[in-house]
Amino acid sequence: MRGRRRRPGRGFYRTLLLAVPALSGALGCAREADPPGLRVGPALVPAAEVAAARERLRAVYPELGDATLTWYLLDGDLGAAALLHHRFPEESAQARSRAEAWVAELQAGRPWEELRAEWAAAHPELDFEPIPNPIAPYLIGSEPASWAAVLEPGAWVGPLKTLQGWEVVRLLERLPGHGTAGVATLDRLVAPVGDQEARRAARADWSRLPLSGDPELLDALPLEFRVGRTQGMP
């Protein structure tokens, strides 16, 4: 004979009913604690940073939609920079502190030219001659390109997180282009993070690590770029 299956008592259901809201609340807190954005492997590109840069860049690309501008920015260096800074958190924090010190000096009235000469003497390997470049994220970096679109000549901004490290950027000149968004001449003070090999690795991993997060940001990525790298979508 088959024995009777014992039914749970009332205490079991009472405990279950109490546990479900607690579990739901815990999951909700976990979701709220995770800021919206695009995850590239373990690194996060915050959605707010993408949206702010996109609106600035729109000033020189008014004909482009949100998805195209988002892709330009993420592939320019927002994705790779997120990986670089995630991998070198202490070095990134120190570099940001140096850039914030430059900002404080500029705000106190120190001339840009004087500060730049001091920076160039300390970092001869990073020194360069500012030249005009198209306002394109893949050429001059996503954050610098977005600010080059809206700054007035002579104005500066920073610190900006880039694939080089943390930067303070000054717009020297912006000129209209022929069939492009125009060109800009930027001067830059760079507090480096990582080395060239680390930057190359971040670039490569941006194109191969798993992707997750904000559906709108994921949808802005070309299908051939994200195929096989996301869950729940092509």
Side-chain angles (χ1 to χ4, degrees):
M1 293 179 63
R2 297 169 59 186
R4 290 185 179 179
R5 184 175 298 172
R6 187 177 179 181
R7 298 176 61 186
R10 293 180 179 178
F12 171 85
Y13 292 110
R14 188 181 301 115
T15 302
L16 181 61
L17 289 172
L18 290 173
V20 168
L23 179 60
S24 299
L27 291 174
C29 290
R31 283 193 295 268
E32 292 173 3
D34 192 21
L38 177 70
R39 284 209 170 272
V40 188
L44 177 72
V45 185
E49 290 184 11
V50 178
R54 184 175 61 220
E55 289 312 303
R56 290 190 296 268
L57 197 61
R58 195 185 304 280
V60 291
Y61 291 101
E63 74 282 5
L64 298 182
D66 283 359
T68 302
L69 290 172
T70 295
W71 166 241
Y72 283 178
L73 290 163
L74 288 170
D75 195 50
D77 75 350
L78 285 187
L83 284 164
L84 179 79
H85 288 263
H86 179 83
R87 288 169 177 170
F88 300 94
E90 293 184 6
E91 191 173 343
S92 176
Q94 293 169 0
R96 181 168 187 167
S97 294
R98 289 196 296 274
E100 288 172 342
W102 297 334
V103 167
E105 291 187 63
L106 291 168
Q107 290 174 335
R110 188 174 186 187
W112 175 275
E113 293 76 13
E114 182 180 303
L115 183 58
R116 192 194 190 288
E118 181 180 285
W119 170 82
H123 299 280
E125 76 285 0
L126 300 177
D127 194 15
F128 66 98
E129 182 68 28
I131 60 172
N133 275 297
I135 303 175
Y138 73 94
L139 281 177
I140 61 177
S142 298
E143 287 283 1
S146 74
W147 281 104
V150 296
L151 285 176
E152 293 296 326
W156 57 267
V157 66
L160 305 181
K161 183 169 65 176
T162 73
L163 190 55
Q164 302 304 311
W166 287 94
E167 303 188 34
V168 182
V169 173
R170 187 188 191 198
L171 178 67
L172 300 181
E173 184 180 42
R174 182 175 57 241
L175 299 171
H178 300 284
T180 70
V183 298
T185 304
L186 296 178
D187 205 359
R188 309 161 80 134
L189 307 177
V190 182
V193 174
D195 56 18
Q196 289 299 333
E197 182 57 37
R199 295 181 191 110
R200 282 193 291 269
R203 279 280 189 199
D205 287 344
W206 158 242
S207 298
R208 70 175 185 85
L209 289 180
L211 300 165
S212 62
D214 191 312
E216 290 188 8
L217 295 180
L218 285 167
D219 196 49
L221 305 177
L223 178 59
E224 63 272 17
F225 181 81
R226 68 174 190 253
V227 67
R229 302 170 62 195
T230 60
Q231 293 184 351
M233 66 182 300

